[in-house]
Amino acid sequence: MLDPNLYAHDPDTVRLSLRRRHAGAETVAAAERLFALVATRRALSGELDQCRATRNRLSPVIGAAMKARDHELAAALK
């Protein structure tokens, strides 16, 4: 069993290891699929961080609008 961090941080080493061990086509395909999933996860994680940053930036503005009873502005910002 390989360390999941190795897949995430050093996929070339995993590929080399699979070639050196004469891994079958099914194993290589599974590894490539895993590399793709790791890349997708990283991209989505970055997008999630951006969304959280936007929420954190807008939250006090929405709170101030609600406090000032400007519900239209608060709804637009939400």
Side-chain angles (χ1 to χ4, degrees), residues 1 5-6 18 24 28 31 39 46-47 50 58:
M1 173 122 190
N5 288 325
L6 190 60
L18 289 174
V28 172
E47 187 178 330
Q50 289 176 353
L58 290 177

Side-chain angles (χ1 to χ4, degrees), residues 15-47:
R15 286 184 184 103
L16 179 64
S17 178
L18 289 174
R19 267 189 250 123
R20 195 175 48 227
R21 294 170 186 251
H22 305 289
E26 186 176 307
T27 303
V28 172
E32 291 300 326
R33 175 75 176 133
L34 186 58
F35 297 143
L37 289 172
V38 167
T40 301
R41 182 180 182 274
R42 278 188 179 176
L44 290 173
S45 180
E47 187 178 330

Side-chain angles (χ1 to χ4, degrees), residues 61-78:
V61 176
I62 293 170
M66 292 294 285
K67 188 174 182 180
R69 299 190 189 276
D70 190 355
H71 299 290
E72 290 178 15
L73 175 62
L77 291 172
K78 286 181 184 180

